[in-house]
Amino acid sequence: MLPAALRPDGALKLVIFDCDGVLIDSEGPSCRMIARSLREHGRTISDEDAVHRFAGHALTALKHEIEQAEGITLPADWPAQMQRNLVSLMRNEAETIEGAPAMLRGVAALGLPYRIGSNSSVQEMEAKFGRTGLDALIVPTCIHSARDMGCPKPDPAVYLAAAQAQGVPPGECIVLEDTETGARAARSAGMGCVLLRSAELPAPSWPGLLRIAHLDEFVPLLRQIMASQQGDANGNG
């Protein structure tokens, strides 16, 4: 059954955004940083391969994945090292995804509240939003970190926490994601999900998963959903 956020007879009451790849273009710099670290540990990996392999992965889980795939042992504090480096990196290199500021203003104009649910730490997100100016559009108390909670995606806990903080049932939320890991988290939370992915790339198919190729498409999609729900309410009123 579709989440209420997507059904004509349901209600959309909260939008939850992933951060990296949706609002902030940080995947490239962060994955290149990881590639540099692995080259320092004797592995041969290009920056391009690192982006393909590591984008969207939580650092703690990534350490295990890399060790298994590469047959090496990284320092126990490697995730913490990378996290500290990321905060510094994002203060200097983070950029917005094209259309993100206008999209956030458009969601607000629809009268919909929004929150952020990310695998990044709160400290890292604050650095990214401060660097890009998105801190003017995002209330600090609406930022939720799966890393700080100790339950990175695909665990749905960060999305459930965002819904609870807003006082909205999970089924009345829509998540905007760019990775299948995040989309699985949204699905497990019982939320609708919109996947930001170019048309030529594959994507999973399940009820409640929509797809857009550019952020410019997101607000019109929400407007269409809300109009459908309003029309159904008027028809049944």
Side-chain angles (χ1 to χ4, degrees), residues 100-105 108 114 116 129 133-140 142:
M103 184 265 298
L104 289 174
R105 288 191 290 267
Y114 56 81
I116 314 300
F129 298 153
L134 289 188
D135 54 349
L137 299 170
I138 298 171
V139 178
C142 291

Side-chain angles (χ1 to χ4, degrees), residues 28 42 58 69 85 121 130 138 157 163 185 230-231:
N85 292 345
S121 68
I138 298 171
Q230 184 61 43

Side-chain angles (χ1 to χ4, degrees), residues 20 24 26 43 50 68-69 71 75 87 90 92 97 106 108 130 141 147 152 159 161 164 166 218 222 226 229:
D20 302 297
I24 299 294
S26 60
R43 311 318 293 170
Q68 293 296 309
V87 173
M90 291 303 108
N92 297 296
I97 296 293
T141 54
R147 176 179 175 81
Y159 287 146
Q164 183 178 27
Q166 192 68 33
F218 188 60
L222 296 182
M226 295 173 70
Q229 292 171 345

